């Protein structure tokens, strides 16, 4: 090895990533914020770098869930410092110290600094925006005040500036290169006033034996202090994306893609196996045909199903039909048969199958945003890909799966809006923390909320159950406006006024009226076709006769929906839905030509392990919401409140379990939340505003390997159960005995 190669292989600066005072009771270590930032600073300022010239740096920012045992080491690559650059970093764990905590701190303070970093231009502009994660600060843990020191500040050298210098290109909170040295911290109130980092922590320190004369004001609940957020275990994106971060991002994409591919295969395979009109296809397929041919739904003569299958459409009468669902779902359903022919049952079911696959994709995207775990994202995808309700309703020409897909897409954009809006609000609160009466200068235009309104308006144009979702989401938005501003420090009338004028009203305008307008647009075909049912029935003449006729049509539809009480063999109330007690049999076909009886059955049996565990998961989510006020739990409860709870009102109505296709994503997400908490991938917690202001990631909990193993085994068991029931939910041909094996409850038959 040449002399130059030897020089290149040497560490630029030795930075101990772990400090003795961060050792817990088990002898485990966690890295500290300034050391992680120092590593990013070094990586940003290395000279003479290239793809064949890696430089070794001791220290690597790893995730907050990582624990280090003394004596171990790990080498991780940090890519993308600049195009073609790569820096390899090694995290070395020191041996477990045997001295007391006081001796450890003294030793650490007395340790000399290592070789100084050369003065070079910072390259932060070339670095990616998202970086590795940082762990919590031990000395800022809740209810644990920072220890006071009786020493006077160390006298700096002549060449050392007395003021804290902010390094170029770095956030203010990490300008100090070594905050572990107590002697380097300004201890007086005057210095604290000049140093914004110390204004946030605001503990009262002693200098010599004298306490500060200035009384510190208590922080409001859920403060936007970065240190408080870090103390709760939140981790910040720094200047370099770690290999772990890149790996998890890639694995999440793979998990989503894998789930979508599996879901698509399950929903498309043998789609036309039941080669006849089944269940309510007798209404929706023929309504779709007349809509595509006439522009409105027409009446059909009785017993025309067989003729329709053979291409005889003479049963369609020249009379409009009173239908009780809007038109958008029937327009979408007709795309497949318009392309491939109306005589193919698989063509009727093609668009529902694709919509069911889209439903899986958006469920995965929501899981990825909520939990930030590739494993949990894959679990959510496989759970819904194999669930009996999701599969059966996706393989029949009904409207519900279209509503479910639009609703799930809207819930995803709603989630994006929440993250974007609270980031803006938290950033403003942080900037004006000394004057919260200042005008909110950030824009109140919320593009993701507008997208949500469009998607939920389309869902409303398929089925009316989306109306409850819009109402509940509006309440959820306003509650979060109140709680976020309360966390920022607003109180009383100012809190309520800001929440209404600055948050609630602009959000309402961008969500509710737009969604209703989109719903109105989905009726365009009805407005432009005077032959459609309902025209002229209001008795109003003139310019507004069309709107008056349409409004009467809506009232007649509502009267129909609230008066359907006739008994049906497969009707089930909302409580039976979540207990998976009375599924709907939608397809049944037998074949004895081979000598043994073969059956094709499609029954909306939800995956029993998933749905029964879902009841416990719902209770868990409610507890997390009430006890910890984790907004993720609130998001999941919002889904249940908008998609399931309203049906409890209609206890005597004739309703069916296949309506729960819209609820399946939230059953899945709640179960994943429960399993993820047990496995340590999710830690329910209260979110400080700093987590929004600085795009922090939620913490992960330390759990035993046994807990992780049990959680993964439980997830695998749920997937296996879903696969076991696929033949009786996807209408695949099996012996009758195999069908009977899967009828665990008499109420399923």
């Amino acid at each position: 090895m040449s002399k130059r190669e030897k020089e290149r292989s040497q560490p630029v600066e030795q930075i101990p990533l772990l400090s003795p005072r961060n050792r817990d009771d088990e002898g485990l270590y966690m890295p500290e914020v300034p050391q992680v930032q120092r590593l990013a600073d070094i990586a940003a300022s290395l000279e003479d770098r290239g793809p064949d010239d890696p430089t070794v740096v001791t220290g690597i920012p790893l995730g907050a869930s990582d624990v280090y045992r003394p004596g171990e080491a790990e080498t991780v690559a940090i890519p993308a410092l600049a195009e073609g650059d790569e820096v390899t970093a090694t995290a070395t764990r020191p041996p477990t110290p045997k001295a007391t905590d006081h001796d450890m701190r003294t030793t650490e303070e007395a340790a000399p600094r290592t070789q100084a970093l050369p003065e070079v231009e910072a390259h932060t502009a070339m670095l990616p925006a998202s970086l590795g994660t940082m762990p919590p600060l031990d000395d800022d843990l809740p209810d644990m005040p920072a220890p006071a020191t009786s020493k006077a500040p160390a006298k700096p050298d002549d060449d050392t500036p007395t003021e804290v210098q902010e390094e170029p290109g770095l956030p203010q909170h990490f300008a100090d290169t070594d905050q572990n040295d107590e002697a380097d911290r300004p201890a007086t109130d005057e210095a604290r006033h000049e140093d914004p980092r110390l204004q946030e922590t605001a503990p009262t320190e002693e200098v010599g034996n004298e306490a500060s004369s200035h009384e510190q004001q208590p922080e409001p609940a859920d403060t936007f202090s970065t240190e408080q957020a870090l103390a709760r275990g939140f981790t910040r994106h720094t200047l370099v994306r770690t290999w772990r971060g890149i790996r998890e991002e890639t694995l999440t994409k793979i998990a989503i893609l894998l789930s979508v591919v599996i879901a698509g295969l399950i929903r498309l395979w043998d789609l036309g196996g039941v080669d006849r009109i089944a269940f309510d296809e007798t209404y929706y397929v023929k309504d779709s045909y007349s809509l595509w041919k006439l522009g409105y739904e027409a009446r059909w003569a009785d017993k025309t199903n067989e003729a329709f299958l053979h291409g005889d459409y003479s049963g369609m009468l020249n009379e409009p039909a009173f239908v009780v669902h809007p038109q958008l779902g029937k327009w979408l359903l007709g795309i497949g048969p318009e392309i491939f022919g109306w005589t193919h049952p698989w063509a009727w079911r093609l668009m529902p199958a694709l919509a069911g696959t889209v439903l899986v994709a958006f469920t995965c995207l929501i899981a990825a945003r909520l939990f930030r775990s590739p494993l949990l994202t894959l679990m959510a995808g496989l759970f819904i890909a194999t669930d009996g309700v999701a599969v059966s309703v996706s393989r029949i020409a009904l409207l519900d799966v279209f509503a479910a897909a639009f609703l799930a897409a809207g819930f995803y954009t709603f989630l994006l809006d929440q993250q974007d809006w609270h980031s803006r609000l938290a950033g403003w609160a942080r900037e004006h923390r000394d004057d919260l009466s200042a005008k909110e200068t950030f824009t109140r235009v919320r593009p993701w909320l507008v997208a949500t309104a469009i998607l939920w308006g389309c869902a409303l144009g398929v089925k009316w159950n989306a109306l409850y979702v819009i109402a509940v989401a509006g309440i959820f938005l306003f509650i979060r406006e109140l709680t976020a501003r309360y966390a920022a420090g607003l109180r009383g009338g100012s809190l309520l006024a800001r929440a209404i004028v600055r948050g609630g009203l602009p959000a309402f305008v961008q969500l509710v009226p737009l969604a209703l307008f989109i719903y109105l647009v989905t009726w365009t075909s009805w407005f432009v076709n005077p032959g459609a049912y309902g025209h002229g029935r209001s008795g109003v003449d003139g310019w507004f006769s069309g709107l008056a006729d349409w409004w009467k049509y809506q009232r007649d539809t509502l009267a129909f929906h609230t008066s359907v009480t006739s008994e049906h063999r497969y009707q089930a109330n909302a409580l039976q839905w979540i207990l998976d007690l009375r599924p709907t049999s939608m397809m049944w076909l037998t074949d004895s030509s081979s000598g043994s009886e073969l059956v094709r059955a499609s029954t909306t049996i939800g995956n029993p392990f998933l749905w029964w565990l879902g009841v416990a998961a719902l209770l868990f989510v409610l507890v997390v919401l009430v006890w910890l006020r984790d907004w993720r739990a609130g998001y999941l409860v919002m889904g249940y409140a908008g998609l399931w709870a309203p049906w409890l009102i209609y206890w005597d109505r004739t309703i069916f379990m296949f309506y729960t296709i819209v609820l399946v994503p939230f059953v899945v997400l709640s179960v994943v939340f429960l399993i993820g908490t047990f496995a340590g991938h999710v830690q329910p917690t209260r979110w400080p505003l700093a987590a929004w202001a600085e795009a922090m990631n939620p913490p992960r909990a330390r759990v035993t390997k046994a807990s992780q193993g049990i959680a993964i085994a439980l997830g695998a068991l749920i997937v296996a159960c879903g696969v076991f029931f696929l033949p009786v939910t996807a209408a695949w041909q099996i012996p009758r005995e195999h069908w009977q094996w899967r009828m665990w409850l008499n109420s399923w038959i």
Side-chain angles (χ1 to χ4, degrees):
M1 180 183 296
S2 66
K3 181 178 180 180
R4 179 172 177 79
E5 290 174 341
K6 288 181 180 180
E7 291 176 352
R8 290 179 176 177
S9 66
Q10 295 300 315
V12 174
E13 180 174 352
Q14 299 287 343
I15 297 183
L17 199 68
L18 312 163
S19 85
R21 65 174 179 161
N22 271 353
R23 184 168 61 91
D24 63 12
D25 294 336
E26 300 179 4
L28 305 179
Y29 291 84
M30 296 297 292
E32 289 191 301
V33 174
Q35 297 159 327
V36 172
Q37 182 57 51
R38 185 62 170 169
L39 173 66
D41 189 22
I42 293 173
S45 58
L46 295 176
E47 293 181 321
D48 194 17
R49 296 169 292 131
D52 300 325
D53 185 21
T55 305
V56 176
V57 180
T58 301
I60 173 68
L62 296 177
S65 63
D66 291 332
V67 294
Y68 312 126
R69 297 192 178 277
E72 298 178 357
E74 181 177 352
T75 300
V76 184
I78 309 180
L81 288 173
E83 185 176 359
D85 292 348
E86 182 175 284
V87 173
T88 302
T90 304
T92 304
R93 284 75 169 176
T96 306
K98 300 183 181 296
T100 64
D101 290 341
H102 175 75
D103 293 338
M104 294 176 198
R105 186 179 294 271
T106 303
T107 302
E108 183 185 9
E109 292 171 356
R113 294 199 177 194
T114 55
Q115 176 184 349
L117 183 70
E119 293 292 337
V120 293
E121 181 182 357
H123 297 279
T124 54
M126 297 187 297
L127 300 177
S130 60
L131 300 173
T133 56
M134 292 188 228
L137 293 175
D138 271 3
D139 49 340
D140 284 329
L141 289 175
D143 302 324
M144 293 179 62
T149 175
S150 60
K151 298 190 308 178
K155 183 177 181 180
D157 297 334
D158 294 338
D159 297 334
T160 305
T162 57
E163 296 182 0
V164 177
Q165 300 295 326
E166 180 178 343
E167 296 179 16
L170 298 180
Q172 265 189 335
H173 297 286
F174 301 97
D176 192 358
T177 59
D178 192 354
Q179 294 177 355
N180 293 328
D181 290 341
E182 301 286 347
D184 290 341
R185 300 185 181 180
T188 64
D189 290 323
E190 181 180 355
R192 180 179 291 111
H193 179 73
E194 295 174 359
D195 188 351
R197 294 168 296 134
L198 298 179
Q199 293 174 14
E200 293 188 350
T201 56
T204 303
E205 299 181 2
E206 297 180 0
V207 180
N209 293 321
E210 296 180 8
S212 172
S213 60
H214 295 276
E215 184 178 354
Q216 299 298 324
Q217 296 297 325
E219 293 279 4
D222 281 345
T223 176
F224 32 83
S225 163
T226 302
E227 284 70 20
Q228 293 290 335
L230 292 171
R232 290 185 181 177
F234 284 81
T235 53
R236 189 208 300 267
H237 294 294
T238 50
L239 292 178
V240 181
R241 296 173 63 187
T242 62
W243 161 243
R244 172 179 181 154
I246 294 176
R247 183 188 66 183
E248 288 197 351
E249 181 180 343
T250 302
L251 289 178
T252 298
K253 293 178 181 178
I254 293 174
I256 295 173
L257 181 61
L258 182 62
S259 300
V260 169
V261 170
I262 292 174
L265 291 175
I266 292 174
R267 283 149 180 77
L268 293 171
W269 178 261
D270 198 19
L271 194 57
V274 177
D275 56 350
R276 62 187 63 185
I277 295 178
F279 195 55
D280 283 355
E281 286 181 336
T282 186
Y283 305 115
Y284 300 125
V285 171
K286 289 184 284 187
D287 283 347
S288 178
Y289 177 85
S290 62
L291 192 61
W292 275 85
K293 302 305 178 183
L294 302 176
Y296 60 88
E297 299 91 338
R299 290 185 57 200
W300 288 76
D302 295 336
K303 300 180 180 179
T304 58
N305 287 356
E306 287 298 323
F308 189 95
L309 278 170
H310 293 87
D312 181 2
Y313 310 118
S314 60
M316 184 173 65
L317 308 177
N318 291 323
E319 301 176 19
F322 172 59
V323 293
V324 294
H325 295 299
Q327 298 181 335
L328 181 58
K330 286 163 278 189
W331 282 112
L332 295 174
L333 190 150
I335 294 176
E338 274 292 302
I339 297 174
F340 301 106
W342 287 91
T343 58
H344 304 300
W346 63 266
W348 315 332
R349 300 163 189 158
L350 177 61
M351 291 305 294
L354 295 178
T357 306
V358 170
L359 177 64
V360 173
F362 278 106
T363 303
C364 291
L365 289 171
I366 294 172
R369 278 276 172 176
L370 283 179
F371 309 128
R372 299 189 181 277
S373 166
L375 177 61
L376 298 186
T377 302
L378 181 62
M379 274 191 184
L382 294 181
F383 286 175
I384 192 171
T386 58
D387 177 69
V389 176
V391 170
S392 58
V393 181
S394 299
R395 290 175 56 88
I396 190 170
L398 303 184
L399 306 180
D400 300 78
V401 69
F402 296 117
F406 281 124
L407 284 169
F411 273 110
Y412 176 65
T413 55
F414 184 85
L415 179 60
L416 295 178
D417 167 75
Q418 287 296 285
Q419 295 176 334
D420 175 64
W421 176 252
H422 282 264
S423 297
R424 288 193 237 170
L425 181 60
W428 171 87
R430 180 173 192 146
E431 183 179 351
H432 299 86
R433 63 179 308 163
D434 295 328
D435 183 17
L436 293 177
S437 63
K439 183 179 179 180
E440 296 177 9
T441 56
F442 55 91
T443 177
R444 284 179 288 279
V445 176
R446 301 165 68 164
W448 288 118
L449 192 60
V450 171
T452 302
I454 294 172
L455 291 166
W456 284 350
C458 291
L460 197 58
V462 177
K463 272 198 165 185
W464 275 9
N465 51 1
L467 191 61
Y468 297 115
V469 174
I470 297 173
V472 171
I475 297 172
F476 180 81
L477 278 172
F478 184 67
I479 291 175
R480 295 211 67 211
E481 290 291 340
L482 285 172
T483 56
R485 285 174 167 78
Y486 182 88
L490 290 172
R491 298 293 185 271
S494 177
L495 167 65
L496 185 61
R498 285 289 185 98
I500 294 175
V501 177
R502 300 290 185 179
L505 287 179
F508 175 86
V509 171
Q510 294 173 79
L511 177 63
V512 179
L514 180 57
L516 294 178
F517 173 75
I518 296 298
Y519 171 70
L520 187 64
V521 170
T522 63
W523 284 85
T524 300
S525 178
W526 183 90
F527 281 107
V528 300
N529 282 281
Y533 179 88
H535 281 285
R537 295 177 61 87
S538 67
V540 176
D541 297 326
W543 288 96
F544 298 101
S545 61
L547 280 175
D549 295 340
W550 175 83
W551 180 246
K552 187 178 188 310
Y553 194 168
Q554 307 306 300
R555 291 166 53 196
D556 293 343
T557 301
L558 178 61
F560 171 84
H561 282 306
T562 55
S563 62
V564 179
T565 57
S566 58
E567 293 187 4
H568 192 283
R569 179 180 178 183
Y570 291 106
Q571 72 182 69
N573 59 56
L575 189 59
Q576 290 175 307
W577 292 355
I578 63 170
L579 297 175
D580 202 13
L581 294 180
R582 190 54 177 158
T584 309
S585 177
M586 298 191 295
M587 293 182 181
W588 177 262
L589 187 64
T590 61
D591 182 6
S592 302
S593 59
S594 61
S596 60
E597 187 176 12
L598 303 176
V599 301
R600 288 181 179 270
S602 178
T603 308
T604 59
I605 301 174
N607 182 336
F609 291 170
L610 176 67
W611 283 77
W612 293 340
L613 184 59
V615 177
L618 175 58
L619 297 176
F620 168 76
V621 168
L622 288 170
V623 170
V624 170
L625 173 61
V626 174
W627 189 260
L628 295 176
R629 285 184 281 173
D630 189 322
W631 76 272
R632 294 171 296 184
Y635 176 85
L636 297 178
V637 170
M638 179 189 68
Y640 275 92
L643 298 169
W644 174 69
W647 293 102
L648 295 171
I649 303 172
Y650 305 108
W651 197 261
D652 297 328
R653 269 194 54 188
T654 308
I655 55 180
F656 303 91
M657 187 170 170
F658 70 85
Y659 294 178
T660 58
I661 179 65
V662 297
L663 181 63
V664 174
F666 286 90
V667 175
V668 167
L669 292 169
S670 298
V671 171
V672 169
F673 194 17
L674 176 61
I675 294 177
T677 302
F678 195 74
H681 286 256
V682 178
Q683 182 175 334
T685 183
R686 243 175 117 185
W687 288 58
L689 283 181
W692 299 102
E694 302 187 14
M696 289 185 174
N697 288 331
R700 293 185 179 180
R702 296 182 185 179
V703 297
T704 64
K705 290 185 178 180
S707 297
Q708 292 180 340
I710 292 173
I712 294 175
L714 183 58
L717 183 63
I718 292 174
V719 174
C721 183
V723 172
F724 175 74
F725 278 91
L726 279 179
V728 298
T729 59
W732 294 340
Q733 193 172 64
I734 56 173
R736 187 183 182 93
E737 295 79 13
H738 293 194
W739 171 80
Q740 291 174 333
W741 294 348
R742 292 165 171 84
M743 297 297 106
W744 291 0
L745 302 178
N746 290 332
S747 61
W748 290 359
I749 300 175

